[in-house]
């Protein structure tokens, strides 16, 4: 099984929405632990990479790609 690729500052969608009902998160730290920031309320969550990979649904396409 191949891991989904994500990088710093990517936007991701998780399997379950946050309490504020937003399902869009920004990756703000990548390492052994992954920190993501809710784009609805601004809450920040730190979780082990293994848990993050289980809960990740998809990496969202970049809206404003560099030209």
């Amino acid at each position: 099984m191949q891991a989904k690729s994500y990088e710093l500052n990517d936007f991701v969608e998780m399997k379950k929405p946050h309490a504020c009902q937003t399902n869009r998160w920004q990756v703000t730290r990548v390492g052994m632990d992954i920190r993501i920031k809710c784009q609805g309320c601004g809450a920040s969550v730190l979780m082990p990479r293994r848990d993050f990979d289980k809960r990740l649904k998809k990496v969202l396409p970049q809206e404003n790609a560099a030209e």
Side-chain angles (χ1 to χ4, degrees), residues 13-43:
E13 184 177 327
M14 305 304 277
K15 290 181 181 175
K16 293 185 179 181
H18 189 236
C20 68
Q21 300 305 312
T22 302
N23 205 8
R24 183 178 168 94
W25 298 82
Q26 182 179 14
V27 178
T28 57
R29 180 181 189 270
V30 178
M32 283 183 59
D33 296 322
I34 307 293
R35 183 178 301 274
I36 54 177
K37 183 177 180 182
C38 178
Q39 295 301 292
C41 65

